[in-house]
Each structure stands twice: as structure tokens, then as C-alpha cells.
Amino acid sequence: MNKLLGLTRNFSSSTSLNAVKTVTIIGGGLMGSGIAQVAAQAGQNVTLVDLKPELLDKAQQSIQKNLIRVGKKMYKDDTLKAENFVKDSLNRIKVSTNIEDGVNVDLIIEAIVEKLHIKQDLFNKLDQLAPEHTILATNTSSISINEIGAGIKRKDRYGGLHFFNPVPVMRLLEVIKGDHISDSTYQTMMEWGKSIGKTCITCKDTPGFVVNRLLGPYSAEAIRMYERGDASKEDIDIGMKLGAGYPMGPFELADYTGLDTNKFVLEVMYEKTKDPVFRPIPLIDKMVAEGKLGIKTGEGFYKYKK
């Protein structure tokens, strides 16, 4: 009986499952292209917007390469089905350097640079351009979504959709509830996340949300151990993989996500919480200043072949 009540409650909102059919992602970087890919392969029509044509070209190449990999995995014994999967998914994605080309959709997701004023300017513009029914969402990893959306009128149709890198692989999606989000919008965001194959969790607008709030201290303490000479980075990574069952050690993970991203998240978390565990780390500051950002630059805590 309780299970039946739960099912009834889940589908009692005015929004039906998979209500979102058209999606625009603004930002053609790793996160934006990844979100575009998972939405397209789930059968949705996608517009990927970025001001830089070369970034859109790179995104399309990356998406195609990833879709080929996914198609081979899904249809191991049927080459034709795999090829059609790639073709159909790519046909659902269009790209543009003009924001106006992507506003007439059900959902717009912002995945641009982690700068508050730039995000605010974008959302204020989207609020004016997009139809009334369109839901606006930010993929920010650490900035308050309430602050980002402070200037928009549709606060009831606005929230956070925080994906994890690489988006096609990582199964988690944090659905962040702003102070004024409606139940209908929240349910639509949750249902959309499930429709693209993600496991969704919910968090209010608190610094770092769930994952980064917990991951930040872990990563910071690992780096400080290394700074003090308590253990080598290799041994710390091995220790957390074999002793705690983590798929990656903290230094491997930092290189993967980008040391510039790690630095920025720590800065935001320290500013918002004043918790000393998030205070600046001299080694991270030094490496970022030297351009050693991790895998994307070929060197971070470890060296990589580009």
C-alpha cells in the first residue's frame, strides 16, 4: 500500500514523465558537449550554443567519437544498429553561435565559465528571451544558484542541474532546489534527469551541494599531506584506492577534474563557509600559475601524453 501511494505521489504533478523534449545547452566545453550528447542519445532535440565556432567544431568531433564508442558497446553484434544510433543521435544536435537560436525550448542549461557576474548576465538575458514555459538551469559546481538567478523573474522555473565530468560516464546528477522553485519545476527536472539515464539526488542551495562539500576537504587534506611530506602522492592514491575502495586516488582525480577547477571550488567554499579546511593551498596556487592544470594541459600532479 505504501509503495502504491509513493508511485501515485511521484506522478501526481501537472508535469508528465519526459515532458522535456527540447533542450539547449549554453557552453560548448567538456561539460556542455557531454550534456548535449546524453540528451541527444536519449532521443531529445538539442541545441548547443557557444560564441566560439572552433569550440563547437571540437565539441561535435568529441560527441561523434563518444557516440561511436557507446554504439559499439550497446550493439556489439549489430554494426548497422550501432551506426544508426550514432547517425540518429548526431542528427538531433544542432549548433549555433547565436543564443537566440536556442531559446525556444523546454529546458536551457548553462554550462559556461564559473564567474558569478557572467552567469548572472546570461540568465538575465535568457529570462527576457525564452518563452514563459522554459525552465532555466545552471550547471554550476559551487556558486550559489540563488545568487546566479537573483535577477530573473521566473524563479519558480529555475534551479540547478549539476553534472559530473565526464558527463556520458558519470551516472550522478545533483538537482539543486533554489528558494523559489515550484514543485512542478522540481519534478520536471528530476524526471528529465532520469530520462537521460542519470541517478538524481536532491540538495538545497548550500555551498558545494553534496559531492563537492564532502570531496573538497578530502582532496585538500590529501594535498596537504603531500605538501608536508607525510606520504608520496603515489602512495596516497594507492592507499585510497585499495584501502577505501575509491576508483581513483585524490591526485588522479584532481588531475582529471583540473587543478584550476579545484582551486576555484576551494576559493568559493572558503569564502562562503570560512571553514579552514577550504583555505588556499600554496601548492595548488603554484601549479595553476605554472599552467599545470592536469590532464587537459598534459601535466598536473602526474604527466600525461596529449
Side-chain angles (χ1 to χ4, degrees):
M1 188 64 178
N2 288 338
K3 290 182 179 179
L4 181 59
L5 286 172
L7 286 172
T8 303
R9 194 176 298 116
N10 284 340
F11 291 95
S12 63
S13 71
S14 60
T15 307
S16 61
L17 188 64
N18 295 340
V20 173
K21 299 295 184 184
T22 53
V23 185
T24 288
I25 295 92
I26 299 180
L30 282 174
M31 297 301 294
S33 62
I35 299 169
Q37 177 190 324
V38 295
Q41 68 187 45
Q44 297 163 15
N45 292 321
V46 179
T47 302
L48 182 61
V49 178
D50 199 284
L51 296 176
K52 298 179 179 179
E54 64 272 17
L55 201 57
L56 291 173
D57 291 341
K58 185 177 180 180
Q60 288 178 298
Q61 294 171 16
S62 175
I63 291 170
Q64 182 174 10
K65 185 184 298 183
N66 289 336
L67 285 171
I68 291 172
R69 189 181 303 115
V70 173
K72 287 180 179 178
K73 188 175 182 180
M74 290 176 63
Y75 305 103
K76 295 179 181 178
D77 302 319
D78 196 324
T79 303
L80 182 59
K81 281 187 176 180
E83 290 176 351
N84 286 335
F85 164 79
V86 175
K87 181 181 177 182
D88 291 344
S89 297
L90 287 173
N91 285 339
R92 294 189 194 102
I93 302 174
K94 65 178 183 178
V95 299
S96 176
T97 57
N98 188 354
I99 289 178
E100 283 80 359
D101 292 337
V103 293
N104 192 24
V105 293
D106 299 321
L107 172 65
I108 300 176
I109 303 172
E110 167 270 315
I112 64 172
V113 62
E114 285 282 88
K115 298 292 184 182
L116 176 60
H117 70 282
I118 298 178
K119 290 180 184 290
Q120 287 176 330
D121 289 345
L122 174 61
F123 276 100
N124 292 344
K125 185 174 184 178
L126 292 173
D127 194 37
Q128 296 293 321
L129 293 173
E132 185 178 347
H133 77 279
T134 302
I135 293 173
L136 304 180
T138 173
N139 179 56
T140 183
S141 59
S142 55
I143 302 174
S144 165
I145 70 164
N146 286 322
E147 289 185 31
I148 292 172
I152 67 173
K153 295 179 179 178
R154 67 183 78 198
K155 291 183 173 65
D156 60 320
R157 297 184 303 286
Y158 165 75
L161 290 170
H162 180 216
F163 290 83
F164 293 82
N165 187 35
V167 176
V169 176
M170 301 296 280
R171 295 169 58 192
L172 184 67
L173 174 61
E174 290 183 326
V175 179
I176 313 304
K177 300 176 75 171
D179 289 348
H180 305 287
I181 190 171
S182 68
D183 289 340
S184 175
T185 299
Y186 167 68
Q187 289 296 334
T188 300
M189 292 169 75
M190 290 289 286
E191 290 163 1
W192 178 76
K194 295 172 187 174
S195 78
I196 61 170
K198 299 303 181 185
T199 298
C200 301
I201 63 173
T202 298
C203 185
K204 68 178 185 179
D205 187 25
T206 186
F209 313 134
V210 173
V211 174
N212 283 340
R213 185 63 176 265
L214 300 174
L215 190 61
Y218 158 72
S219 177
E221 287 305 303
I223 295 169
R224 290 187 180 107
M225 282 189 72
Y226 175 52
E227 272 189 320
R228 292 193 301 265
D230 296 343
S232 69
K233 58 182 184 292
E234 292 83 4
D235 283 353
I236 295 171
D237 277 349
I238 291 170
M240 294 311 295
K241 286 189 288 186
L242 302 187
Y246 286 19
M248 300 175 75
F251 295 95
E252 293 172 316
L253 182 60
D255 277 357
Y256 198 89
T257 58
L259 301 190
D260 53 339
T261 301
N262 279 260
K263 172 180 164 63
F264 177 77
V265 170
L266 284 173
E267 288 173 347
V268 171
M269 295 296 292
Y270 186 62
E271 178 186 349
K272 295 298 181 184
T273 68
K274 302 305 179 185
D275 188 330
V277 75
F278 296 113
R279 68 189 185 276
I281 302 175
L283 179 58
I284 289 286
D285 293 343
K286 179 176 181 291
M287 294 176 71
V288 170
E290 293 173 349
K292 299 176 181 177
L293 308 182
I295 290 177
K296 59 187 174 184
T297 59
E299 183 177 359
F301 287 106
Y302 300 104
K303 291 187 178 181
Y304 305 88
K305 292 181 179 179
K306 284 192 176 183

